[in-house]
Amino acid sequence: MLPRWRQTISRLFLIPQRYVLGIMGLLAVCSAYTMRVCLNLAVTQMVNNTNSGSDFVDPNACPDESEFITNATSSSRPYAIFDWSESTQGLILSGFYYGYALTHVPGGYLAERYGGKWTLGVGLLSTAIFTLLTPVVVKAGGATWLFILRVLQGMGEGPTMPALMIMLARWVPPHERSRQGALVFGGAQIGNIFGSFMSGFLMAGDGNWVNVFYFFGCFGILWFLAWSILCFSTPNTHPYISDEELKYLNETVTSADNKSVRDPVPWKAIVRSVPVWALLFAAVGHDWGYYTMVTDLPKYMTDVLKFNIAATGTLTAIPYLAMWISSFIFGWACDVCVKREWHSIKTGRIIHTTIAAVGPAVCIILASYAGCDRFAAVAYFIASMALMGGFYSGMKVNALDLAPNYAGSLTAMINGTSTISGIITPYLIGLLTPDSTLGQWRVAFWVCFAVLVGTNVIYIIWADGKQQWWDDVRQYGYPEGWKHGPLKIANRDTEKSKKKEAKKSAK
């Protein structure tokens, strides 16, 4: 039984603690993405000439005719003090992902060893502080210092997904994972919506771009304070969780009790696992399409479709709103179908991953061929992101299916490796669109189409939805022909311990 003071605090919560974690996890991802994407919109107002160094005039450029447009789109930038080329801007925007990739695996290790609460919390706190420092740093050191700062921001956010995944593995029952996954990771879309809209709002009417970084940096610090008070790494370390919920979680969640020492992470078995490789390819494809939209959609709206900054902020936010709403619909549908045994977990993951890959691939091509029909182009972008919402109930939670005991390390490896898409796409698009013309952007979108569809084919063929043998070798044993592996060392040490105990008992 809980002490009386703990019972009193527990009654103050109207929802179970696993849903409190889900909401705070959503806000964590939201904060992470606002700090990640705010530069994507701000850079359009920081640079005084997006076609610097080029005298090229696009004969097919979209006219400034819409009611959403101001004819001063290219010149009304009072705080645009930097003269960066498209490739330089692309390199700066990719800087975040260099650091992001570096700390995924260390972040997953720390979360599994010491718990996800502080691994996640301290990481996002550091990113919030770096966000606050952005205006000072960029004015002092220009593009070089800003690139370095973005790398540091990425390093702070690297542990976010692995830490959240390991916490979900220890808090969420299997039949709730699609919905909780959609709730928590849907925070990415909330962050994109909030980040895009507020950035446009703060910079509208000749607003200074520095306000964007001050606002989201403070938001991240406030989140950290709430997270520190409300959330804990496991149900068994939570001081005021109800007895009923604690009992339920310990009975239904494989990894709810984290008191036992786990075997070393079976990296050799993971690397040799075909479903893991299928998941990795799907993650690379998704991230390629997603980062293309997140990083470069504001530039496409501003440079090609010629929307002003206020309209760009609003219209960039709408596709992510569609993705957020659709993620809940897809998550609910997947859980219902699995629970009623209309299809297996594996089939559900494949269906929703395919929707989230092929649908957006087709829509962005249609958007590019819509040309200067702004209504049609925006509609296709909205449809693209709405279909991408199936990703959360598809491959995003697949790591929990394959390895609930090593979800943090597996997610770290998958996310860390797939982040190569975030490194490549902004710089590649900068190279493919030196003059930011519609024709140049169409080529970039065709590259995105090929990556999304190609990687999805690989996932369809080799994906799996069952817990893998290497995740719990004591239950499943080693497959025939498997002679070496890190878990054998752990088993050998366990056998030695048993023999020592037996000798002590005999004496």
Side-chain angles (χ1 to χ4, degrees), residues 2 40 43 88 139 148 158 185 271 310-311 338 375 402 413 507:
L2 290 173
N40 302 342
V43 74
T88 299
K139 289 179 181 179
I148 295 171
F185 298 115
V271 171
V338 170
F375 178 82
L402 300 179
M413 188 194 82
K507 290 181 180 179

Side-chain angles (χ1 to χ4, degrees), residues 13-135:
F13 291 91
L14 301 178
I15 59 176
Q17 291 300 324
R18 64 185 182 277
Y19 296 124
V20 173
L21 174 69
I23 293 170
M24 289 304 299
L26 179 152
L27 293 175
V29 179
C30 172
S31 178
Y33 271 74
T34 58
M35 293 185 288
R36 182 188 305 190
V37 306
C38 60
L39 178 63
N40 302 342
L41 205 65
V43 74
T44 65
Q45 303 303 298
M46 295 168 66
V47 179
N48 57 21
N49 187 354
T50 56
N51 291 325
S52 177
S54 174
D55 296 324
F56 177 80
V57 176
D58 181 14
N60 299 314
C62 298
D64 295 344
E65 295 175 349
S66 172
E67 62 180 326
F68 297 106
I69 312 299
T70 60
N71 290 328
T73 301
S74 60
S75 60
S76 181
R77 298 178 183 178
Y79 301 102
I81 57 177
F82 303 104
D83 187 13
W84 298 332
S85 67
E86 289 290 335
S87 59
T88 299
Q89 292 177 58
L91 186 61
I92 291 171
L93 292 174
S94 69
F96 176 92
Y97 300 102
Y98 285 91
Y100 190 63
L102 286 175
T103 53
H104 260 73
V105 172
Y109 171 78
L110 291 173
E112 285 179 341
R113 186 172 180 84
Y114 301 108
K117 175 178 179 175
W118 296 115
T119 304
L120 172 63
V122 173
L124 286 187
L125 176 63
S126 69
T127 302
I129 293 172
F130 291 137
T131 301
L132 282 172
L133 293 174
T134 299

Side-chain angles (χ1 to χ4, degrees), residues 307-344:
F307 288 108
N308 63 31
I309 189 60
T312 296
T314 302
L315 295 175
T316 302
I318 293 175
Y320 305 118
L321 176 62
M323 184 175 181
W324 181 59
I325 294 172
S326 70
S327 68
F328 288 103
I329 297 173
F330 285 124
W332 171 81
C334 187
D335 278 343
V336 168
C337 291
V338 170
K339 189 173 183 179
R340 297 185 179 181
E341 298 183 348
W342 291 347
H343 61 58
S344 66

Side-chain angles (χ1 to χ4, degrees), residues 430-461:
L431 293 177
L432 292 174
T433 60
D435 306 302
S436 206
T437 66
L438 180 59
Q440 292 170 349
W441 275 95
R442 189 172 292 154
V443 173
F445 286 150
W446 270 113
V447 172
C448 183
F449 176 94
V451 174
L452 276 169
V453 174
T455 54
N456 184 68
V457 170
I458 295 173
Y459 186 77
I460 290 173
I461 297 172

Side-chain angles (χ1 to χ4, degrees), residues 278 281-286 349-359 395 449-463:
F281 273 95
V284 169
H286 167 81
R349 302 295 181 242
I350 290 175
I351 290 173
H352 288 82
T353 301
T354 301
I355 291 172
V358 177
M395 53 148 293
F449 176 94
V451 174
L452 276 169
V453 174
T455 54
N456 184 68
V457 170
I458 295 173
Y459 186 77
I460 290 173
I461 297 172
W462 287 294

Side-chain angles (χ1 to χ4, degrees), residues 95-336:
F96 176 92
Y97 300 102
Y98 285 91
Y100 190 63
L102 286 175
T103 53
H104 260 73
V105 172
Y109 171 78
L110 291 173
E112 285 179 341
R113 186 172 180 84
Y114 301 108
K117 175 178 179 175
W118 296 115
T119 304
L120 172 63
V122 173
L124 286 187
L125 176 63
S126 69
T127 302
I129 293 172
F130 291 137
T131 301
L132 282 172
L133 293 174
T134 299
V136 177
V137 170
V138 69
K139 289 179 181 179
T144 302
W145 285 25
L146 179 57
F147 177 82
I148 295 171
L149 185 68
R150 291 290 289 178
V151 172
L152 294 174
Q153 286 180 295
M155 292 178 69
E157 282 197 21
T160 301
M161 292 304 177
L164 273 176
M165 190 65 79
I166 193 105
M167 290 183 74
L168 291 177
R170 293 170 183 172
W171 274 91
V172 182
H175 61 276
E176 294 181 8
R177 284 175 182 166
S178 292
R179 279 171 291 177
Q180 279 278 56
L183 173 67
V184 172
F185 298 115
Q189 308 330 312
I190 299 296
N192 287 327
I193 295 164
F194 186 50
S196 298
F197 179 79
M198 283 304 301
S199 295
F201 175 79
L202 291 169
M203 292 186 291
D206 294 338
N208 197 332
W209 53 264
V210 301
N211 297 327
V212 171
F213 300 101
Y214 294 147
F215 179 85
F216 292 118
C218 291
F219 180 80
I221 291 174
L222 290 175
W223 168 86
F224 171 77
L225 295 176
W227 174 263
S228 301
I229 297 169
L230 296 175
C231 297
F232 296 85
S233 295
T234 65
N236 293 293
T237 58
H238 199 295
Y240 41 85
I241 187 174
S242 68
D243 290 330
E244 294 80 8
E245 186 180 11
L246 181 61
K247 180 182 178 183
Y248 172 71
L249 293 179
N250 280 323
E251 289 175 349
T252 59
V253 182
T254 305
S255 307
D257 187 354
N258 191 41
K259 294 180 180 178
S260 60
V261 178
R262 299 190 186 282
D263 293 327
V265 179
W267 288 116
K268 183 178 179 181
I270 290 174
V271 171
R272 292 174 61 174
S273 175
V274 173
V276 168
W277 278 99
L279 180 58
L280 177 59
F281 273 95
V284 169
H286 167 81
D287 284 3
W288 192 287
Y290 187 72
Y291 290 140
T292 296
M293 297 289 287
V294 169
T295 306
D296 293 293
L297 185 57
K299 289 175 65 60
Y300 188 83
M301 292 282 195
T302 302
D303 297 344
V304 177
L305 299 180
K306 300 290 173 50
F307 288 108
N308 63 31
I309 189 60
T312 296
T314 302
L315 295 175
T316 302
I318 293 175
Y320 305 118
L321 176 62
M323 184 175 181
W324 181 59
I325 294 172
S326 70
S327 68
F328 288 103
I329 297 173
F330 285 124
W332 171 81
C334 187
D335 278 343
V336 168

